[in-house]
Amino acid sequence: MIFKSKPQYKDIALSVIATVALLGLLALAFTDNDSRKTFESMATLTIGAAVGYFIPGNK
């Protein structure tokens, strides 16, 4: 991926946090069969929040 400018520190930090949260939630969903749907829903929310933050608009 080629950036037009250097990404800000908070954007990189948010990406790392979202990735770690996604991997953790998917690991929990894999190990706990009873709560799988809940962990999958939280993973979807995490990805939606990260993508929603990076969509250009009025910040």
Side-chain angles (χ1 to χ4, degrees), residues 38-51:
T38 304
F39 291 129
E40 289 175 354
S41 296
M42 290 187 338
T44 304
L45 178 73
T46 302
I47 293 300
V51 169

Side-chain angles (χ1 to χ4, degrees), residues 28-43:
L28 288 172
F30 180 73
T31 58
D32 188 7
N33 291 334
D34 296 334
S35 301
R36 181 170 287 172
K37 284 292 186 187
T38 304
F39 291 129
E40 289 175 354
S41 296
M42 290 187 338

Side-chain angles (χ1 to χ4, degrees), residues 8-20 49-51 53-54:
Q8 294 181 357
Y9 176 75
K10 67 178 183 176
D11 294 341
I12 294 171
L14 179 64
S15 299
V16 169
I17 290 170
T19 303
V20 169
V51 169
Y53 177 78
F54 288 118

